[in-house]
Amino acid sequence: MATITLTCDSSTIQKMQKHYQANLLNSAPYTVFVAKTANARISAYQSGKVVFQGPHAEKEAAKWGNEIASKSHSTLPEGFDTWSVIGSDEVGNGSYFGPLVVAAAYVEKSKIPELQALGVKDSKMLNDEKMKRIAPKIKRIIPYQLLIVSPQKYNAVQPHYNATTMKSVLHNQALALLEEKIQPAQPQAILIDQFATKERFLKDTKNEVRHPQTPIYTITKGEQYHIAVAAASILARVTFLEQLEQLGDSIQEVLPSGAGANVDEVAAHIINQYGIDTLARLAKMHFANTEKAIKLQKKS
Ligand code: MN
């Protein structure tokens, strides 16, 4: 009888539990769940170990192989944070108003201390004001590439692209352009702040003309693993905010970021004052906010 042990994160274990819902047994001490299928008995432990035992344990465990391979946490090589790395991140994907911005930033290892001194570390810990102050300094220290997809452009492209594919193509382009820009420098790696698995990214971009030549890693919370991702994240965020401000200035309004109820109200006001075509120059129209704004505007 074969025994296979996998180490999984809690989200994978949750997924497994759901998958084996119809096969659950009473759970044993220290387990999250125990299940039994025709292939094997599956015991998922609180430690993250999942043990498959039975005549076809291997077959049952293999079902989860891809799931686990696609979780790239802890797959970065030892000492990765000290390498010369191109990082990339995007901002604006969840905001109704404003563009989608993708940034790539190259941090050669000798520049790491300088960026650290600026306070570029975990970019998620910085507020917008602080980011606005340090972005120009980052730009003076390291090479970077920004891609800005205006709402107008976004609305033209969006119906033909899946949202993830759009991001993959943009990251790919920013990375390839930056690689060209920094030649003959040889980064040791690319780290993409993960929005999809690496397999998905490669699939999405296989027909693209340009491809980065540097080994690619993807990881969630990438800014914690290399300062290049933190730098890219700050540059993308600040560029997004600048663009949002400019778009607002063009109609003397302040455009909020995000996709909450306040956004619906501003959008309804814009439809009232300037018409829906103006809104389409400022906002990502496929968001549910458009419908809500139209309803609000009719009521007023
Ligand atoms: Mn990100």
Side-chain angles (χ1 to χ4, degrees):
M1 197 170 79
T3 300
I4 308 283
T5 303
L6 301 178
T7 304
C8 304
D9 66 2
S10 57
S11 76
T12 303
I13 290 180
Q14 271 173 25
K15 231 181 202 176
M16 287 176 168
Q17 188 168 10
K18 214 167 162 195
H19 176 85
Y20 294 120
Q21 219 158 29
N23 313 97
L24 293 178
L25 303 176
N26 290 334
S27 61
Y30 307 110
T31 63
V32 181
F33 72 86
V34 180
K36 194 174 185 331
T37 68
N39 284 336
R41 180 189 176 91
I42 303 112
S43 311
Y45 291 91
Q46 287 156 8
S47 64
K49 296 265 182 266
V50 181
V51 180
F52 296 78
Q53 275 178 306
H56 304 290
E58 281 170 45
K59 192 174 160 198
E60 195 60 39
K63 288 182 184 173
W64 299 97
N66 276 342
E67 175 77 22
I68 291 153
S70 71
K71 302 270 180 188
S72 55
H73 70 91
S74 78
T75 61
L76 296 179
E78 221 15 57
F80 187 89
D81 60 337
T82 65
W83 286 15
S84 297
V85 168
I86 298 179
S88 67
D89 196 11
E90 80 288 335
V91 172
N93 193 54
S95 181
Y96 181 59
F97 289 115
L100 175 60
V101 179
V102 175
Y106 176 48
V107 180
E108 204 267 324
K109 59 175 121 191
S110 68
K111 307 278 184 167
I112 294 173
E114 223 176 321
L115 289 180
Q116 280 170 335
L118 275 183
V120 183
K121 34 167 197 222
D122 191 351
S123 49
K124 294 276 182 317
M125 309 286 279
L126 303 175
N127 63 28
D128 289 346
E129 291 316 308
K130 171 84 176 160
M131 284 199 226
K132 281 181 188 167
R133 276 200 302 279
I134 63 178
K137 296 177 186 166
I138 296 172
K139 288 181 176 176
R140 265 177 258 136
I141 298 171
I142 56 164
Y144 61 93
Q145 176 71 51
L146 285 161
L147 293 179
I148 302 166
V149 183
S150 69
Q152 212 163 13
K153 180 80 198 278
Y154 182 96
N155 292 331
V157 171
Q158 181 275 324
H160 313 287
Y161 271 105
N162 166 284
T164 303
T165 305
M166 202 193 305
K167 280 187 255 180
S168 295
V169 169
L170 289 165
H171 275 262
N172 182 72
Q173 199 179 344
L175 293 165
L177 287 171
L178 184 56
E179 246 187 12
E180 276 174 36
K181 212 183 253 186
I182 64 176
Q183 268 179 5
Q186 294 274 354
Q188 289 167 276
I190 283 171
L191 183 60
I192 301 174
D193 187 40
Q194 184 166 315
F195 55 88
T197 61
K198 184 178 158 185
E199 291 70 27
R200 172 67 193 263
F201 171 79
L202 295 175
K203 185 168 160 267
D204 281 344
T205 56
K206 68 173 188 293
N207 294 325
E208 292 294 299
V209 181
R210 301 170 206 265
H211 292 278
Q213 304 300 308
T214 307
I216 295 172
Y217 297 84
T218 67
I219 197 160
T220 53
K221 302 197 173 81
E223 70 281 352
Q224 294 177 7
Y225 296 88
H226 200 284
I227 203 161
V229 177
S233 173
I234 292 168
L235 296 182
R237 173 81 187 156
V238 171
T239 304
F240 169 80
L241 291 170
E242 286 167 359
Q243 296 282 319
L244 187 66
E245 211 175 300
Q246 280 179 27
L247 290 170
D249 286 350
S250 73
I251 55 160
Q252 278 114 48
E253 302 281 348
V254 174
L255 302 177
S257 68
N262 58 329
V263 164
D264 302 339
E265 282 178 26
V266 175
H269 169 74
I270 292 169
I271 298 171
N272 256 330
Q273 290 285 310
Y274 311 95
I276 194 113
D277 291 349
T278 297
L279 183 64
R281 195 169 57 70
L282 308 171
K284 302 180 187 80
M285 297 299 275
H286 72 109
F287 277 45
N289 302 84
T290 300
E291 281 308 311
K292 291 183 197 158
I294 290 170
K295 277 187 195 140
L296 275 176
Q297 178 258 341
K298 279 181 181 154
K299 265 189 234 162
S300 66

Short mmCIF file of all heavy atoms in Angstrom, two decimals, residues 193-217:
data_model
loop_
_atom_site.label_atom_id
_atom_site.label_comp_id
_atom_site.label_asym_id
_atom_site.label_seq_id
_atom_site.Cartn_x
_atom_site.Cartn_y
_atom_site.Cartn_z
N ASP A 193 5.34 40.27 -9.52
CA ASP A 193 4.39 40.17 -8.41
C ASP A 193 3.21 39.36 -8.93
O ASP A 193 2.51 39.78 -9.86
CB ASP A 193 3.95 41.55 -7.93
CG ASP A 193 3.10 41.45 -6.67
OD1 ASP A 193 3.43 40.64 -5.80
OD2 ASP A 193 2.10 42.18 -6.57
N GLN A 194 2.99 38.22 -8.35
CA GLN A 194 2.13 37.22 -8.98
C GLN A 194 0.66 37.62 -9.07
O GLN A 194 0.00 37.86 -8.08
CB GLN A 194 2.26 35.89 -8.23
CG GLN A 194 1.46 34.77 -8.90
CD GLN A 194 1.84 33.41 -8.37
OE1 GLN A 194 3.02 33.12 -8.21
NE2 GLN A 194 0.86 32.59 -8.08
N PHE A 195 0.14 37.66 -10.30
CA PHE A 195 -1.29 37.85 -10.53
C PHE A 195 -1.85 36.59 -11.16
O PHE A 195 -3.06 36.43 -11.30
CB PHE A 195 -1.54 39.06 -11.43
CG PHE A 195 -0.80 38.99 -12.73
CD1 PHE A 195 -1.36 38.36 -13.83
CD2 PHE A 195 0.47 39.52 -12.84
CE1 PHE A 195 -0.67 38.26 -15.02
CE2 PHE A 195 1.18 39.43 -14.04
CZ PHE A 195 0.61 38.81 -15.12
N ALA A 196 -0.97 35.72 -11.60
CA ALA A 196 -1.35 34.43 -12.19
C ALA A 196 -0.14 33.52 -12.03
O ALA A 196 0.97 34.00 -11.76
CB ALA A 196 -1.67 34.59 -13.67
N THR A 197 -0.34 32.25 -12.23
CA THR A 197 0.80 31.34 -12.13
C THR A 197 1.77 31.61 -13.27
O THR A 197 1.40 32.21 -14.29
CB THR A 197 0.35 29.87 -12.27
OG1 THR A 197 -0.26 29.71 -13.56
CG2 THR A 197 -0.62 29.49 -11.18
N LYS A 198 3.00 31.17 -13.10
CA LYS A 198 4.01 31.35 -14.15
C LYS A 198 3.57 30.61 -15.41
O LYS A 198 3.75 31.11 -16.52
CB LYS A 198 5.36 30.83 -13.65
CG LYS A 198 6.47 31.07 -14.63
CD LYS A 198 7.80 30.58 -14.08
CE LYS A 198 8.75 30.32 -15.22
NZ LYS A 198 10.01 29.73 -14.74
N GLU A 199 2.97 29.45 -15.25
CA GLU A 199 2.50 28.67 -16.40
C GLU A 199 1.48 29.47 -17.19
O GLU A 199 1.52 29.53 -18.42
CB GLU A 199 1.86 27.35 -15.93
CG GLU A 199 2.82 26.33 -15.33
CD GLU A 199 3.38 26.73 -13.98
OE1 GLU A 199 2.71 27.49 -13.24
OE2 GLU A 199 4.52 26.32 -13.66
N ARG A 200 0.56 30.11 -16.47
CA ARG A 200 -0.46 30.92 -17.13
C ARG A 200 0.19 32.10 -17.86
O ARG A 200 -0.16 32.41 -19.01
CB ARG A 200 -1.46 31.43 -16.08
CG ARG A 200 -2.46 32.45 -16.59
CD ARG A 200 -3.42 31.83 -17.60
NE ARG A 200 -4.17 32.86 -18.31
CZ ARG A 200 -5.40 33.26 -17.97
NH1 ARG A 200 -6.01 32.70 -16.96
NH2 ARG A 200 -6.00 34.19 -18.65
N PHE A 201 1.15 32.75 -17.20
CA PHE A 201 1.85 33.88 -17.80
C PHE A 201 2.52 33.45 -19.11
O PHE A 201 2.40 34.12 -20.13
CB PHE A 201 2.89 34.44 -16.82
CG PHE A 201 3.80 35.47 -17.41
CD1 PHE A 201 3.37 36.78 -17.58
CD2 PHE A 201 5.09 35.13 -17.83
CE1 PHE A 201 4.20 37.74 -18.15
CE2 PHE A 201 5.92 36.08 -18.39
CZ PHE A 201 5.47 37.39 -18.56
N LEU A 202 3.20 32.32 -19.08
CA LEU A 202 3.91 31.85 -20.28
C LEU A 202 2.93 31.48 -21.39
O LEU A 202 3.17 31.77 -22.56
CB LEU A 202 4.80 30.64 -19.93
CG LEU A 202 5.95 30.95 -18.95
CD1 LEU A 202 6.69 29.68 -18.58
CD2 LEU A 202 6.92 31.99 -19.52
N LYS A 203 1.82 30.90 -21.02
CA LYS A 203 0.80 30.53 -22.00
C LYS A 203 0.21 31.78 -22.65
O LYS A 203 0.06 31.86 -23.86
CB LYS A 203 -0.28 29.70 -21.30
CG LYS A 203 -1.35 29.14 -22.19
CD LYS A 203 -2.19 28.11 -21.43
CE LYS A 203 -3.53 27.90 -22.11
NZ LYS A 203 -4.59 28.77 -21.56
N ASP A 204 -0.08 32.76 -21.79
CA ASP A 204 -0.68 34.02 -22.28
C ASP A 204 0.22 34.78 -23.25
O ASP A 204 -0.26 35.56 -24.06
CB ASP A 204 -0.96 34.97 -21.10
CG ASP A 204 -2.22 34.61 -20.34
OD1 ASP A 204 -3.04 33.84 -20.87
OD2 ASP A 204 -2.39 35.11 -19.21
N THR A 205 1.53 34.59 -23.09
CA THR A 205 2.46 35.44 -23.86
C THR A 205 3.21 34.67 -24.95
O THR A 205 4.10 35.22 -25.58
CB THR A 205 3.49 36.09 -22.92
OG1 THR A 205 4.16 35.07 -22.18
CG2 THR A 205 2.82 37.05 -21.93
N LYS A 206 2.81 33.42 -25.18
CA LYS A 206 3.61 32.61 -26.10
C LYS A 206 3.61 33.15 -27.54
O LYS A 206 4.55 32.95 -28.27
CB LYS A 206 3.23 31.13 -26.04
CG LYS A 206 1.86 30.78 -26.56
CD LYS A 206 1.72 29.24 -26.57
CE LYS A 206 0.46 28.79 -27.25
NZ LYS A 206 -0.77 29.20 -26.50
N ASN A 207 2.58 33.89 -27.91
CA ASN A 207 2.54 34.43 -29.28
C ASN A 207 3.05 35.87 -29.37
O ASN A 207 2.95 36.49 -30.43
CB ASN A 207 1.11 34.36 -29.83
CG ASN A 207 0.66 32.92 -30.00
OD1 ASN A 207 1.47 32.05 -30.34
ND2 ASN A 207 -0.60 32.65 -29.72
N GLU A 208 3.57 36.39 -28.29
CA GLU A 208 4.11 37.76 -28.31
C GLU A 208 5.42 37.79 -29.09
O GLU A 208 6.15 36.80 -29.14
CB GLU A 208 4.35 38.26 -26.88
CG GLU A 208 3.08 38.48 -26.08
CD GLU A 208 2.22 39.60 -26.65
OE1 GLU A 208 2.70 40.75 -26.70
OE2 GLU A 208 1.08 39.32 -27.07
N VAL A 209 5.68 38.95 -29.69
CA VAL A 209 6.91 39.09 -30.49
C VAL A 209 8.14 39.11 -29.59
O VAL A 209 9.13 38.44 -29.83
CB VAL A 209 6.85 40.37 -31.35
CG1 VAL A 209 8.11 40.49 -32.20
CG2 VAL A 209 5.61 40.35 -32.23
N ARG A 210 8.07 39.95 -28.54
CA ARG A 210 9.22 40.06 -27.64
C ARG A 210 9.01 39.18 -26.42
O ARG A 210 7.90 39.07 -25.91
CB ARG A 210 9.34 41.47 -27.07
CG ARG A 210 9.51 42.58 -28.01
CD ARG A 210 9.34 43.85 -27.18
NE ARG A 210 8.90 44.97 -27.97
CZ ARG A 210 9.72 45.85 -28.50
NH1 ARG A 210 11.01 45.75 -28.32
NH2 ARG A 210 9.25 46.84 -29.22
N HIS A 211 10.10 38.65 -25.94
CA HIS A 211 10.08 37.89 -24.68
C HIS A 211 11.31 38.24 -23.88
O HIS A 211 12.40 38.29 -24.43
CB HIS A 211 10.09 36.38 -24.95
CG HIS A 211 8.83 35.89 -25.57
ND1 HIS A 211 7.72 35.61 -24.84
CD2 HIS A 211 8.52 35.65 -26.86
CE1 HIS A 211 6.76 35.21 -25.66
NE2 HIS A 211 7.22 35.23 -26.90
N PRO A 212 11.16 38.44 -22.59
CA PRO A 212 12.37 38.64 -21.78
C PRO A 212 13.21 37.37 -21.80
O PRO A 212 12.69 36.26 -21.90
CB PRO A 212 11.83 38.94 -20.39
CG PRO A 212 10.39 38.61 -20.39
CD PRO A 212 9.93 38.51 -21.80
N GLN A 213 14.53 37.56 -21.71
CA GLN A 213 15.46 36.44 -21.81
C GLN A 213 15.94 35.95 -20.45
O GLN A 213 16.64 34.97 -20.35
CB GLN A 213 16.69 36.85 -22.64
CG GLN A 213 16.34 37.37 -24.04
CD GLN A 213 15.61 36.31 -24.86
OE1 GLN A 213 16.09 35.19 -24.99
NE2 GLN A 213 14.44 36.66 -25.39
N THR A 214 15.58 36.67 -19.41
CA THR A 214 16.05 36.37 -18.05
C THR A 214 15.10 35.36 -17.40
O THR A 214 13.90 35.40 -17.67
CB THR A 214 16.05 37.69 -17.24
OG1 THR A 214 16.79 38.67 -17.97
CG2 THR A 214 16.66 37.52 -15.87
N PRO A 215 15.62 34.46 -16.57
CA PRO A 215 14.74 33.50 -15.88
C PRO A 215 13.65 34.22 -15.07
O PRO A 215 13.95 35.18 -14.37
CB PRO A 215 15.67 32.74 -14.94
CG PRO A 215 17.04 32.95 -15.48
CD PRO A 215 17.04 34.24 -16.22
N ILE A 216 12.43 33.72 -15.19
CA ILE A 216 11.29 34.38 -14.57
C ILE A 216 10.81 33.62 -13.33
O ILE A 216 10.68 32.39 -13.36
CB ILE A 216 10.11 34.49 -15.57
CG1 ILE A 216 10.51 35.41 -16.73
CG2 ILE A 216 8.84 35.01 -14.88
CD1 ILE A 216 9.49 35.43 -17.86
N TYR A 217 10.58 34.37 -12.28
CA TYR A 217 9.93 33.82 -11.09
C TYR A 217 8.67 34.65 -10.82
O TYR A 217 8.64 35.83 -11.14
CB TYR A 217 10.83 33.93 -9.86
CG TYR A 217 12.12 33.15 -9.97
CD1 TYR A 217 13.23 33.69 -10.61
CD2 TYR A 217 12.21 31.87 -9.44
CE1 TYR A 217 14.42 32.98 -10.72
CE2 TYR A 217 13.40 31.15 -9.54
CZ TYR A 217 14.49 31.71 -10.18
OH TYR A 217 15.65 30.99 -10.28
#
